[in-house]
Amino acid sequence: FIFNQYGTQYGFPLYTDQLERNYSNWALWIHGNLRGSAVLPVSVSDNLNESGNPYLLVTATKGRKALYVEVINRHSSPITDSVVLQGTPIPKQATVYQMAAGITPEKGTKASLGQQFSYTFPPYSVTIFKLSIRPKEDD
């Protein structure tokens, strides 16, 4: 894996020819900064493509202090869908991070969400909801 190469000659570089972070770099950044160590079960809705695969890919992970819900929209159009969080008390306040056309995920925006909410996922995007949780005594 080549970390310090740039430009298209290396196939999947982490920087553009102008030495700016590209989406491969940001995907690694998301993996290291906006995911927990425990993977949680999820289910998806019926936003399916012509092959029967969901346009929205969803993963949920949990760390010591946060729950992360990551939604990837693989469609060329925005998709509005419901998000329902079960099994743990969820604070109303969350931080939402996005990677989409011209948007990078290093800064989040505060949002009021709760246990169930509707959200519009931009086309070809990654949206991460970070919800702070209290660690258990044995964590």
Side-chain angles (χ1 to χ4, degrees):
F1 198 82
I2 302 173
F3 280 99
N4 62 349
Q5 301 301 326
Y6 61 93
T8 57
Q9 64 189 358
Y10 295 100
F12 293 102
L14 297 179
Y15 297 92
T16 66
D17 288 331
Q18 294 77 38
L19 299 179
E20 297 170 340
R21 290 180 177 191
N22 67 11
Y23 288 109
S24 297
N25 189 301
W26 286 114
L28 286 173
W29 186 90
I30 288 170
H31 183 71
N33 293 283
L34 297 175
R35 288 195 182 140
S37 57
V39 178
L40 305 174
V42 299
S43 61
V44 296
S45 67
D46 292 330
N47 282 308
L48 304 178
N49 65 19
E50 59 279 351
S51 300
N53 297 314
Y55 279 116
L56 297 179
L57 299 180
V58 181
T59 60
T61 58
K62 183 179 174 186
R64 285 182 49 89
K65 297 180 181 179
L67 170 69
Y68 302 90
V69 177
E70 180 178 345
V71 180
I72 300 172
N73 181 1
R74 303 186 297 175
H75 199 285
S76 59
S77 298
I79 295 176
T80 301
D81 209 336
S82 296
V83 177
V84 179
L85 305 169
Q86 298 175 336
T88 186
I90 301 296
K92 289 188 185 269
Q93 285 294 318
T95 306
V96 181
Y97 299 86
Q98 284 196 320
M99 181 170 68
I103 301 170
T104 55
E106 75 274 24
K107 294 181 182 174
T109 56
K110 298 291 183 191
S112 295
L113 301 176
Q115 294 282 144
Q116 181 172 348
F117 56 93
S118 183
Y119 197 86
T120 300
F121 301 97
Y124 299 129
S125 65
V126 178
T127 303
I128 298 111
F129 303 99
K130 179 182 178 184
L131 301 114
S132 297
I133 55 175
R134 289 189 202 140
K136 294 180 183 177
E137 294 300 321
D138 58 346
D139 280 352

